[in-house]
Amino acid sequence: MQLPPALHARLAGAPGAAAPLPVQRDSLAGNAPFRFAARQVRFPREHEFFEDGDVQRHLYLQDVITQVAAEPERPRVPEFTCQVAGCCQAFDTLEDYEHHYHTLHGNVCSSCKRAFPSGHLLDTHIQEWHDSLFQILAERQDMYQCLVEGCTEKFRTSRDRKEHLVTHHLYPADFRFDKPRKGRRPASQVSTEAIGEDRAPSEGDAMEVCSEQAEAHSEPPRERRVYSHRIPSTVCFGQGASRGFKSTKKRSKRQ
Amino acid sequence: MWSGRRGLLRSSGCGVEELRCRRREREAALRKARREQQLVSKRLLRDEATEEAEGGCVVVILGEAEIQEFLRLAQRGTEEKERERALVSLRRGLQHPETQQTFIRLEGSIRTLVGLLTSNQALLQLEAARCLHELSHSEQSAVAEACLPATSYLLTYLSGHSSDFIELCLYTLGNLIVESEAVRRQLLPQGIVPALAACIQSPHLTVLEALGYALSQLLQAKEAPGKIIPLVLGSTLPQHILQLLQPGPKLNLGVAVEFAWCLHYIICSQVNNALLITQGALTTLGLLLLDLAAAVQRTEDAGLELVCGQLVCPVVRCLSNLLTEAAAETVGGPMQLRDERVLAALFILLQFFLHKQPSLLPEGLWLLNNLTANSPSFCTSLISLDLIEPLLHLLSVSNVVSVLVLTVLCNVAEKGPAYCQHLWPGLLLPTLLDTLALSDTEVVGQSLELLQLLFLYQPGAAQAFLQQSGLQALQRHEEVAQLQDRVHALQQTALHG
């Protein structure tokens, strides 16, 4: 297909449309036995017209192997340590440092030194754990906001919120970033996850999967039952792992 | 522009013929999958450079005891380097399907992994995420679905800050999304759409490309038109997507490809295209097409051409489908597409990709039909830009293409004598006589329609037709059921005027 040379110039030229030639139709046009009528056509998603292009798209998705060695290598720098007071982690690439910083020092609560994955969760934490005004207001109105972005539901207690997270948003019952605060709340409302959280979190604050599972704890059995039948069966931490709350076990010191 | 970080098919010592053969096989498999409406592709993010540094890609199958040991070390090791090494070993083992199977059957394994994922140790987090990613990529549903307990955390981390980590989470989510409707039924209430809407504001190109991929897979789901697309349209995602498709110095092709496909899945589902038009989709896509036509003329980089081709396809589809919306026809409206440079761009792209990506041709002609059908202006431009002859040259490509070309020519001809005048004489008559020699009824049928219009509007056309042995050409089809009425009518007109 040969294109007129002026076409490329037109592409680079100014926007515009041609003044249309006069339209003048004869009523015989498209009359039986003829049937042509100029009309636009739309194709729905699964139409076979799209088959070739769709296949090309997926070949592209499969072909492309990301992060090939052709990518410029991360520049290595002389080893340096994290500048945050009390942290002596060492790095030799900026990317590693960035990840470390954001994980451990970004979004950190200045009161209890807990780190959060996002500003949103940090703000929620500060409000619920360290703001005495919040506690006062919470006695009278729904203050506990749903943690899922975009959901505007608020709840009277953190337990109600957790229930909402589990039943409505299919979150795990032991979602790590939703620990209810221990203290002023009546004991029956505190789930055992809060126990043991008073200590400043050690660096390796991983979820425990040790064998000392939830057998021995002072939970009122009623509360446990509420959750266990509501946890969807799809939310199962490993095959057959018991779904319990963390017990009042000792936290292994980690550094 | 395109960052160049994407590599093409990695040659691993295979011959060219073997590669071609494999590609043909994959293509056949994809075609079959599409016909069964099961077209999904998972993406694997693996750091080849690191792997080679680690001493080659030999994948070791790990047994139960070894997995347990690695998990124990990762969780309880005293030294950080030791914990990290354990996870790296686990991750490498997880590249093998057998290890994956053993892993998911081990009690507490996923739970431990999720615990490490949510730990405050950045490098452990990253390695744990990589392990999950390997699992998510599996073709075995049981393996991929074992990652489900981690999804709420993967979504939470999308509003974090480490771009590498977010990218990994996104590709993992993307793989899980295509796994099954059951998985999506968990991800949707967990807030995947708002999470993506927040994450799309990231300035990192790698994050954006990963997000586009994940979103495109979400939008491609069978239940998307009813359950997912309305949520997406109700969020801030469409505006951000259109912004990422704006041509200009900030346009990144790899990112744009993914989001253009997102837009295509939204638009062809016909949920609320009017909304997209009010957000300026037609203008943006039109300008993008111009930009792409300019780009392919400038470049000699094969990789760049490939990505451009991948972008042209969804842009053409989106434009074409959007043009059929009533909102697109508001005469004089600012959202309307009226720039004849779009025609120039389209032809330049069709010519460029004629042999490199032939699937673009019918789709491009479909766009041309939608541009010209109800538009005297575009029909006039087709003439004034001298595009009729190039169009005629496409008539020999295939039956589907021929029908489309003839339809476009009919779009022009049906607007009356002023238009037919410019179609005549030139190559049109000899070309039509050639198509009449074919046997495909649809092609011939469309030729007959065009002839009727020419006989009607162009004085001398019927006579010239007779002189060029047109009657004989018609005779071939006198007995064909779908054609005979029209054949006879034309014969009458030619002979008696």
Side-chain angles (χ1 to χ4, degrees):
Chain A
M1 176 170 68
Q2 282 271 40
L3 294 177
L7 199 66
H8 305 268
R10 182 65 194 94
L11 180 69
L21 293 163
V23 177
Q24 196 186 341
R25 293 189 179 94
D26 190 315
S27 53
L28 285 175
N31 256 13
F34 297 95
R35 48 188 99 141
F36 179 76
R39 50 175 236 285
Q40 294 175 321
V41 175
R42 63 163 67 148
F43 287 117
R45 40 195 301 152
E46 288 304 333
H47 200 283
E48 61 175 356
F49 187 72
F50 290 147
E51 183 179 300
D52 285 348
D54 284 354
V55 167
Q56 293 304 309
R57 156 70 174 163
H58 280 265
L59 280 173
Y60 170 83
L61 281 180
Q62 292 176 359
D63 265 354
V64 171
I65 295 168
T66 57
Q67 283 198 354
V68 208
E71 186 181 359
E73 231 187 64
R74 297 270 165 73
R76 303 224 160 229
V77 297
E79 206 180 72
F80 61 97
T81 52
C82 178
Q83 291 302 294
V84 173
C87 179
C88 43
Q89 197 80 25
F91 307 94
D92 61 1
T93 71
L94 291 172
E95 284 74 17
D96 284 348
Y97 179 51
E98 182 202 37
H99 186 64
H100 159 87
Y101 184 88
H102 287 305
T103 305
L104 210 49
H105 306 304
N107 298 312
V108 170
C109 174
S110 45
S111 306
C112 64
K113 308 300 174 215
R114 245 188 192 72
F116 290 85
S118 68
H120 169 63
L121 286 172
L122 172 64
D123 291 341
T124 309
H125 161 82
I126 290 175
Q127 205 189 24
E128 294 174 12
W129 282 53
H130 304 297
D131 184 353
S132 34
L133 180 61
F134 179 91
Q135 304 300 332
I136 294 167
L137 288 172
E139 273 155 32
R140 281 192 296 248
Q141 61 194 74
D142 296 344
M143 293 289 289
Y144 287 88
Q145 185 162 46
C146 175
L147 297 180
V148 174
E149 283 229 45
C151 180
T152 50
E153 298 282 329
K154 286 199 197 275
F155 302 88
R156 206 54 194 279
T157 65
S158 82
R159 188 171 151 223
D160 291 341
R161 174 184 55 203
K162 178 180 288 296
E163 198 165 296
H164 167 82
L165 278 175
V166 171
T167 55
H168 197 81
H169 293 293
L170 307 186
Y171 263 51
D174 59 351
F175 186 65
R176 196 184 159 160
F177 304 113
D178 175 32
K179 309 291 187 201
R181 182 170 188 248
K182 188 201 167 183
R184 309 258 229 99
R185 323 236 113 260
S188 61
Q189 286 193 21
V190 174
S191 78
T192 39
E193 285 143 312
I195 297 168
E197 292 295 324
D198 285 344
R199 283 166 241 165
S202 56
E203 246 194 88
D205 217 15
M207 280 173 19
E208 298 290 339
V209 190
C210 46
S211 48
E212 330 149 50
Q213 280 292 351
E215 306 331 308
H217 57 75
S218 51
E219 264 300 273
R222 178 177 54 82
E223 188 171 55
R224 186 188 189 185
R225 215 177 21 237
V226 166
Y227 285 122
S228 63
H229 83 255
R230 292 216 185 176
I231 298 173
S233 55
T234 49
V235 179
C236 175
F237 305 96
Q239 308 296 311
S242 50
R243 308 184 199 120
F245 297 107
K246 291 200 227 0
S247 60
T248 49
K249 58 198 174 310
K250 51 190 182 303
R251 217 178 249 300
S252 54
K253 288 270 176 59
R254 215 166 286 134
Q255 181 39 286
Chain B
M1 283 301 261
W2 193 48
S3 64
R5 79 195 275 268
R6 298 264 170 260
L8 299 181
L9 193 57
R10 181 174 50 143
S11 67
S12 40
C14 303
V16 171
E17 193 45 53
E18 203 184 318
L19 279 174
R20 268 202 213 121
C21 186
R22 271 205 219 144
R23 192 188 162 94
R24 274 198 295 270
E25 282 168 16
R26 278 191 300 138
E27 207 176 306
L30 285 171
R31 239 171 249 288
K32 177 164 183 287
R34 195 196 182 273
R35 282 176 199 160
E36 293 162 6
Q37 303 198 1
Q38 302 265 17
L39 191 56
V40 295
S41 290
K42 293 195 175 183
R43 260 198 153 165
L44 184 63
L45 195 76
R46 225 182 250 168
D47 194 338
E48 308 283 337
T50 308
E51 276 191 7
E52 276 165 36
E54 284 169 2
C57 312
V58 177
V59 178
V60 180
I61 302 176
L62 301 176
E64 222 180 78
E66 291 162 295
I67 294 175
Q68 273 172 326
E69 180 58 17
F70 286 140
L71 281 175
R72 190 190 68 78
L73 278 173
Q75 212 187 359
R76 313 282 184 92
T78 43
E79 267 198 41
E80 208 184 301
K81 280 289 171 203
E82 183 187 42
R83 298 174 71 189
E84 209 192 311
R85 267 199 303 269
L87 262 189
V88 169
S89 304
L90 177 62
R91 189 244 304 161
R92 294 184 59 197
L94 284 174
Q95 290 177 14
H96 196 285
E98 257 189 65
T99 314
Q100 292 170 359
Q101 290 286 344
T102 314
F103 182 85
I104 63 165
R105 283 195 224 111
L106 208 53
E107 190 171 314
S109 59
I110 285 287
R111 196 187 168 106
T112 306
L113 202 56
V114 176
L116 290 161
L117 177 74
T118 57
S119 74
N120 280 342
Q121 297 270 50
L123 292 171
L124 286 182
Q125 237 188 2
L126 203 50
E127 279 306 324
R130 288 191 181 128
C131 289
L132 274 170
H133 183 70
E134 292 288 344
L135 292 171
S136 77
H137 189 257
S138 167
E139 282 169 17
Q140 306 284 329
S141 288
V143 175
E145 289 187 359
C147 300
L148 281 178
T151 55
S152 59
Y153 297 106
L154 293 174
L155 289 175
T156 304
Y157 286 128
L158 292 188
S159 36
H161 294 279
S162 167
S163 60
D164 277 359
F165 191 62
I166 295 176
E167 187 190 2
L168 196 52
C169 291
L170 282 167
Y171 279 118
T172 306
L173 282 165
N175 288 343
L176 293 176
I177 282 167
V178 299
E179 189 49 53
S180 67
E181 191 171 347
V183 171
R184 296 188 289 269
R185 273 202 298 268
Q186 172 169 310
L187 288 172
L188 284 168
Q190 284 184 344
I192 186 169
V193 173
L196 292 176
C199 189
I200 200 171
Q201 298 175 60
S202 164
H204 298 278
L205 297 173
T206 51
V207 168
L208 290 172
E209 191 168 340
L211 198 154
Y213 164 73
L215 184 59
S216 74
Q217 301 305 293
L218 191 60
L219 293 166
Q220 212 190 342
K222 265 183 235 175
E223 75 277 15
K227 304 221 166 92
I228 301 173
I229 291 176
L231 291 176
V232 171
L233 285 174
S235 76
T236 54
L237 280 167
Q239 292 130 274
H240 286 115
I241 291 174
L242 286 174
Q243 223 165 359
L244 291 166
L245 292 173
Q246 297 275 6
K250 283 215 221 152
L251 178 75
N252 178 279
L253 287 178
V255 170
V257 166
E258 300 308 312
F259 286 109
W261 280 97
C262 287
L263 211 52
H264 163 62
Y265 295 130
I266 295 175
I267 289 174
C268 68
S269 302
Q270 318 280 351
V271 174
N272 186 0
N273 290 336
L275 175 67
L276 293 170
I277 291 178
T278 59
Q279 290 178 339
L282 273 173
T283 318
T284 302
L285 291 168
L287 289 172
L288 184 55
L289 201 69
L290 300 185
D291 210 50
L292 285 167
V296 298
Q297 292 177 93
R298 281 196 302 264
T299 186
E300 284 180 6
D301 178 346
L304 200 65
E305 286 173 8
L306 176 75
V307 179
C308 281
Q310 283 297 307
L311 184 50
V312 172
C313 175
V315 170
V316 163
R317 292 180 180 191
C318 288
L319 275 170
S320 201
N321 267 329
L322 280 179
L323 283 170
T324 67
E325 297 289 328
E329 295 200 1
T330 323
V331 178
M335 302 300 157
Q336 199 186 18
L337 194 66
R338 310 211 71 203
D339 193 341
E340 69 175 0
R341 293 179 303 169
V342 168
L343 280 184
L346 184 55
F347 271 83
I348 288 170
L349 288 166
L350 287 180
Q351 187 219 34
F352 186 82
F353 286 109
L354 197 57
H355 302 293
K356 297 177 179 147
Q357 200 171 321
S359 60
L360 268 177
L361 186 57
E363 298 194 16
L365 289 171
W366 164 49
L367 172 57
L368 192 57
N369 173 73
N370 285 0
L371 284 167
T372 52
N374 301 330
S375 172
S377 174
F378 273 120
C379 287
T380 307
S381 294
L382 209 56
I383 292 168
S384 63
L385 292 173
D386 277 325
L387 293 171
I388 301 293
E389 214 173 280
L391 206 51
L392 288 173
H393 282 133
L394 292 172
L395 271 170
S396 48
V397 172
S398 72
N399 287 336
V400 171
V401 169
S402 298
V403 170
L404 287 165
V405 169
L406 288 165
T407 307
V408 171
L409 291 169
C410 284
N411 285 348
V412 177
E414 70 91 28
K415 295 190 170 45
Y419 292 79
C420 285
Q421 200 177 33
H422 291 276
L423 293 178
W424 196 262
L427 286 174
L428 189 51
L429 185 56
T431 314
L432 274 175
L433 288 166
D434 282 345
T435 60
L436 285 179
L438 298 172
S439 45
D440 184 83
T441 32
E442 256 208 272
V443 175
V444 174
Q446 209 63 21
S447 312
L448 299 176
E449 298 288 340
L450 185 54
L451 276 170
Q452 194 233 3
L453 292 168
L454 286 170
F455 286 179
L456 202 53
Y457 293 136
Q458 181 60 29
Q463 187 140 45
F465 181 72
L466 280 174
Q467 283 167 358
Q468 301 274 335
S469 320
L471 281 182
Q472 285 87 307
L474 283 176
Q475 255 169 359
R476 285 190 70 183
H477 307 289
E478 268 174 348
E479 304 300 307
V480 180
Q482 290 143 284
L483 301 173
Q484 50 190 199
D485 290 342
R486 290 181 281 177
V487 165
H488 290 145
L490 283 175
Q491 285 167 332
Q492 292 304 305
T493 314
L495 287 170
H496 308 296

